[in-house]
Amino acid sequence: MEDNFKIGIIGGKGKMGEFFARFFQKKGYYVLVSDKDTQLNNQSLLQEAKVILISVPMSVFPKVVEEIAEFTTPEHWILDVCSLKLEPYKIMKSLLKKPEVLATHPLFGPYETSLKGKTIAYFPIRGKNLLNWFIKVMSEDGLSLIKISPKKHDQIMGLVQVLNHFWLVLLGNIINHSGFRLEEIVSLATPSFLKQLEILQRLAYQDEKLYTKIQVDNPYGKRFRTLFYRECKKLIKALNSSEAQVFFETNFKEVKTLAKTLENLLKSSHPH
């Protein structure tokens, strides 16, 4: 490791910023942070550190990149951890002409105790040294690295993130308006429903501002919310008709086929 190989985190006092500060410190790296109330500002951070990780909300991301662009050099390595990738990719490619640049999205939150089996998406923008270092460092902790174009990433996140969060909030709303006490629901929950409740309970520790931004900022989210609504209407209409049994059995068989394929895929890609 180079003597001057320091890692600077812009937004280092945020939850993900703090997570990556701990992550790199455990690996023996010297970590510096800049944020609203730190002695170091972003310009000073670039003077001190070789690797710059930008961990800020999308609302201020363009301003931050524009601010640091003039202070970057060919020796700098810069990466982001935004949950959307197309706009950050365009911004960094346009403004950061000198340094090596990498777009990334950790597909996990800041409360994970182990990264083994977790996934991080990435797409190189400029340079190979940063990319090779990043892949090596992340692989050491058992992370699965997926290279994907920014546009395709955001399209899939419309399903994986936007619809998933939409469904969880909807489930919470239904439970709130069900007329049952939570204790009653939990006491009679089946194993599969308990798993859904365990996923729902994770929202207790999440940032509502971040989840709101993910829901409203992804331009592909509307497509999947509309698809959700359309499929709900179709299923409700069929179940309220005389063809309810035939329709549901046929639909269930189709989903069983998908489920079997999914079972095999999960066994191979996420082994226990």
Side-chain angles (χ1 to χ4, degrees):
M1 192 187 304
E2 302 170 30
D3 291 338
N4 65 342
F5 197 106
K6 298 176 183 176
I7 296 177
I9 301 178
I10 297 177
K13 292 296 183 181
K15 290 183 176 64
M16 285 304 287
E18 289 181 338
F19 173 87
F20 278 107
R22 293 191 301 271
F23 174 83
F24 287 118
Q25 284 167 347
K26 286 178 183 177
K27 289 184 170 296
Y29 290 99
Y30 191 94
V31 177
L32 300 163
V33 303
S34 66
D35 213 311
K36 293 177 182 177
D37 302 314
T38 57
Q39 285 186 323
L40 279 178
N41 59 26
N42 294 344
Q43 181 182 347
S44 301
L45 197 71
L46 267 81
Q47 292 172 348
E48 294 281 339
K50 177 181 182 65
V51 182
I52 303 296
L53 186 148
I54 306 174
S55 179
V56 299
M58 267 301 299
S59 57
V60 299
F61 185 81
K63 182 181 177 183
V64 167
V65 175
E66 186 175 8
E67 176 193 339
I68 68 170
E70 64 177 296
F71 305 110
T72 59
T73 71
E75 284 71 44
H76 280 118
W77 294 355
I78 299 183
L79 61 155
D80 78 305
V81 291
C82 294
S83 56
L84 288 174
K85 292 271 60 83
L86 187 54
E87 283 307 308
Y89 164 79
K90 290 179 179 177
I91 290 164
M92 290 191 293
K93 186 176 182 181
S94 171
L95 297 177
L96 302 175
K97 299 295 188 181
K98 297 176 183 177
E100 296 196 19
V101 189
L102 181 66
T104 85
H105 178 203
L107 294 163
F108 52 84
Y111 302 106
E112 301 292 348
T113 54
S114 171
L115 295 183
K116 188 175 182 180
K118 304 298 187 298
T119 302
I120 188 161
Y122 73 93
F123 190 76
I125 298 175
R126 186 178 301 106
K128 292 184 177 180
N129 295 313
L130 167 57
L131 175 62
N132 293 337
W133 170 81
F134 178 80
I135 290 174
K136 178 179 179 294
V137 169
M138 295 299 157
S139 298
E140 287 172 350
D141 275 48
L143 274 161
S144 173
L145 290 102
I146 304 295
K147 181 181 178 181
I148 186 169
S149 74
K151 183 177 181 179
K152 188 65 173 291
H153 167 277
D154 288 2
Q155 289 173 332
I156 294 175
M157 285 304 109
L159 175 64
V160 171
Q161 279 192 317
V162 176
L163 189 64
N164 180 35
H165 301 166
F166 180 83
W167 158 246
L168 288 174
V169 171
L170 190 63
L171 177 60
N173 289 342
I174 291 168
I175 289 172
N176 276 336
H177 295 97
S178 67
F180 303 123
R181 289 185 297 111
L182 204 52
E183 293 82 359
E184 292 175 315
I185 296 170
V186 171
S187 68
L188 290 175
T190 60
S192 61
F193 193 65
L194 271 176
K195 287 183 179 180
Q196 294 198 56
L197 294 179
E198 287 168 4
I199 296 170
L200 180 59
Q201 75 174 359
R202 291 169 67 103
L203 293 190
Y205 303 99
Q206 305 307 320
D207 182 353
E208 63 275 8
K209 288 185 172 60
L210 172 63
Y211 272 55
T212 299
K213 294 296 286 182
I214 289 172
Q215 193 67 218
V216 301
D217 285 357
N218 189 325
Y220 304 103
K222 181 180 179 180
R223 171 192 169 193
F224 291 101
R225 289 190 297 267
T226 302
L227 182 59
F228 180 94
Y229 179 63
R230 189 183 78 195
E231 290 299 313
C232 280
K233 283 203 303 180
K234 185 169 75 174
L235 192 56
I236 290 169
K237 183 179 179 181
L239 290 174
N240 289 339
S241 74
S242 59
E243 301 296 321
Q245 184 165 337
V246 173
F247 181 90
F248 194 80
E249 283 183 6
T250 302
N251 201 178
F252 198 88
K253 286 178 181 177
E254 291 173 358
V255 177
K256 276 182 71 174
T257 301
L258 180 143
K260 188 62 181 176
T261 304
L262 184 61
E263 179 186 34
N264 295 331
L265 183 61
L266 290 175
K267 281 179 180 177
S268 61
S269 61
H270 292 80
H272 293 294

